[in-house]
Amino acid sequence: MASTIPKAVLYYAPNSIWSAAVLLTLEEKGYGADEIDRKQVDLVNGANFDPTFLRLNPKATLPTLVVPMQNTLADGVNSRYKALTETEAIIDFLDKSRSATSRTRTTSHAPAPALRPATIAFNTKTKTIIDALHSEGGNPNHLAYVNARNEAALQMLTVEKLPVLTRKHKALDQYISDADNDKLQVSLKTKDFWQRKKEAVAVLLAVIENGQKADAKLTGEALRQREQFYAEARKSWEVSLKEVVVKVNSEVIGPFSLGDQLSIADLHLASWLARLVKLSGGVYGDEGDKAIGKLETHIGGDFRLVKDFEVEEAQGKAVKQSKLAAFWDATQGRESWKQVYRQGLY
């Protein structure tokens, strides 16, 4: 008899960094395309702020995994699902939900491995790495919006981000207007949430709308806003991110986070590093030394990671790389990486 329990639903966006981490997990664990429904959320047009989505995830973030529940309902409880809204919780759930004896259908024909480490020491290291990747200092979404520390870079950023910010601001403005005119029935908490998000977008828009103007052409408030933007960009890339990159590189054992076998931390690290390399001018086909070299250069100054991980080249010669470069090379060879990033880094 067929089960009447619905499938889990993954809400994601194609260019969302943490959605990529979950997609990598689905590939590594061997989930079939028919096992989990996937629904794209239009971040550019603010669909994540729609009241319907906010009922699933009040933070309006992606990814979100809605998991059907069975035999867990109390009297008077109408909800038959649980929404997981944190990337780490989603990946842990997907790891545990597919047993070690399940056969994969995507990346291999071998049993799907358990990705969460078994030892206390390795669990501690995993937590340290994941916490660093999700820290404010390493936030790749923030870095994407402050990826300009000079006039030329700001002009390029404006071309990319002005349409996105304009549409997001318009969407939030429409939600607020509809609520004010009783076209949408939402709580004051939701309206306040929309307003805070709109104000945050407006701060960036104030800079980006003038992004094609030369520094020398700005005066008054517009000049002050740009100077603040440059200061934040320098701090974010040259100080905060630098510290996180050094910490993560030191924690990784190599070539993967915990050594020779892929583990749960690597799914976070792969998507995080892919975004940073892209923001630094890297592309899908870059080898590890080149990709990480671009990131080091983009961080600025004479920043270079220590090269203390020994790898053997095809000719049998031993060379040393940074651990993140070795990780990049090891990850690029996996089918999960090829499936998720085959159309380019994001």
Side-chain angles (χ1 to χ4, degrees):
M1 180 177 177
S3 172
T4 59
I5 301 299
K7 290 184 287 187
V9 180
L10 174 65
Y11 293 85
Y12 77 106
N15 293 322
S16 157
I17 168 180
W18 299 123
S19 291
V22 173
L23 295 177
L24 287 168
T25 305
L26 292 176
E27 295 291 336
E28 288 291 344
K29 294 296 295 187
Y31 282 90
D34 61 340
E35 293 183 80
I36 294 178
D37 285 336
R38 303 184 189 189
K39 293 188 178 182
Q40 290 190 20
V41 179
D42 187 352
L43 291 176
V44 174
N45 287 305
N48 54 314
F49 296 113
D50 186 280
T52 302
F53 184 76
L54 290 179
R55 282 194 285 272
L56 297 175
N57 183 350
K59 297 178 294 184
T61 56
L62 294 177
T64 295
L65 183 68
V66 177
V67 182
M69 308 297 285
Q70 185 178 24
N71 300 326
T72 58
L73 300 183
D75 292 340
V77 177
N78 296 319
S79 174
R80 291 181 176 273
Y81 64 82
K82 177 180 181 181
L84 303 177
T85 61
E86 298 291 340
T87 303
E88 186 174 3
I90 293 171
I91 291 176
D92 275 342
F93 176 85
L94 292 172
D95 182 35
K96 294 173 182 176
S97 295
R98 194 165 179 82
S99 73
T101 58
S102 296
R103 301 193 68 80
T104 64
R105 300 186 222 175
T106 51
T107 58
S108 76
H109 295 293
L115 299 175
R116 172 64 66 176
T119 68
I120 294 175
F122 274 175
N123 267 299
T124 299
K125 181 175 282 290
T126 294
K127 184 179 186 325
T128 298
I129 293 172
I130 292 176
D131 285 352
L133 299 177
H134 289 273
S135 68
E136 193 55 41
N139 186 345
N141 291 316
H142 174 68
L143 290 162
Y145 281 99
V146 295
N147 193 25
R149 286 164 278 175
N150 56 54
E151 186 178 298
L154 182 57
Q155 290 174 351
M156 293 176 61
L157 186 67
T158 296
V159 172
E160 177 188 356
K161 296 299 185 185
L162 182 58
V164 175
L165 289 169
T166 300
R167 289 157 74 179
K168 187 176 292 188
H169 189 272
K170 181 180 178 181
L172 286 162
D173 194 51
Q174 188 64 55
Y175 286 131
I176 294 170
S177 175
D178 286 348
D180 288 340
N181 291 301
D182 294 326
K183 293 180 181 179
L184 287 175
Q185 301 299 318
V186 298
S187 66
L188 287 175
K189 183 178 180 180
T190 296
K191 287 178 65 175
D192 289 343
F193 176 72
W194 284 336
Q195 187 62 44
R196 291 195 305 273
K197 291 297 183 180
K198 179 184 170 183
E199 290 169 0
V201 172
V203 170
L204 273 172
L205 261 179
V207 175
I208 297 297
E209 284 176 334
N210 288 314
Q212 295 294 347
K213 296 180 181 179
D215 292 345
K217 296 292 185 181
L218 297 180
T219 59
E221 181 65 11
L223 178 59
R224 185 190 68 81
Q225 290 171 338
R226 181 170 293 189
E227 289 173 343
Q228 286 186 336
F229 177 87
Y230 283 153
E232 174 61 24
R234 287 191 294 270
K235 178 184 176 183
S236 297
W237 279 93
E238 299 167 17
V239 180
S240 301
L241 177 63
K242 179 180 176 180
E243 292 176 356
V244 175
V245 169
V246 169
K247 180 176 182 60
V248 171
N249 187 72
S250 68
E251 288 290 340
V252 167
I253 294 175
F256 296 110
S257 294
L258 303 181
D260 292 333
Q261 299 298 317
L262 185 99
S263 68
I264 211 159
D266 298 312
L267 304 166
H268 297 261
L269 179 54
S271 56
W272 181 80
L273 201 55
R275 169 65 63 83
L276 294 182
V277 169
K278 177 179 171 53
L279 293 176
S280 303
V283 296
Y284 175 80
D286 285 343
E287 293 183 351
D289 286 336
K290 186 174 184 180
I292 302 306
K294 289 178 179 178
L295 174 58
E296 291 167 334
T297 299
H298 198 63
I299 287 174
D302 57 356
F303 174 61
R304 291 293 182 270
L305 290 168
V306 60
K307 294 185 177 182
D308 57 355
F309 185 74
E310 191 171 281
V311 295
E312 188 173 307
E313 292 185 327
Q315 300 85 354
K317 179 182 178 182
V319 296
K320 288 193 174 183
Q321 293 180 292
S322 69
K323 292 172 184 174
L324 289 185
F327 172 83
W328 183 272
D329 285 335
T331 304
Q332 270 200 324
R334 300 188 73 84
E335 285 301 316
S336 59
W337 175 274
K338 297 172 185 177
Q339 288 296 319
V340 173
Y341 291 110
R342 62 183 180 274
Q343 294 183 350
L345 303 178
Y346 58 87

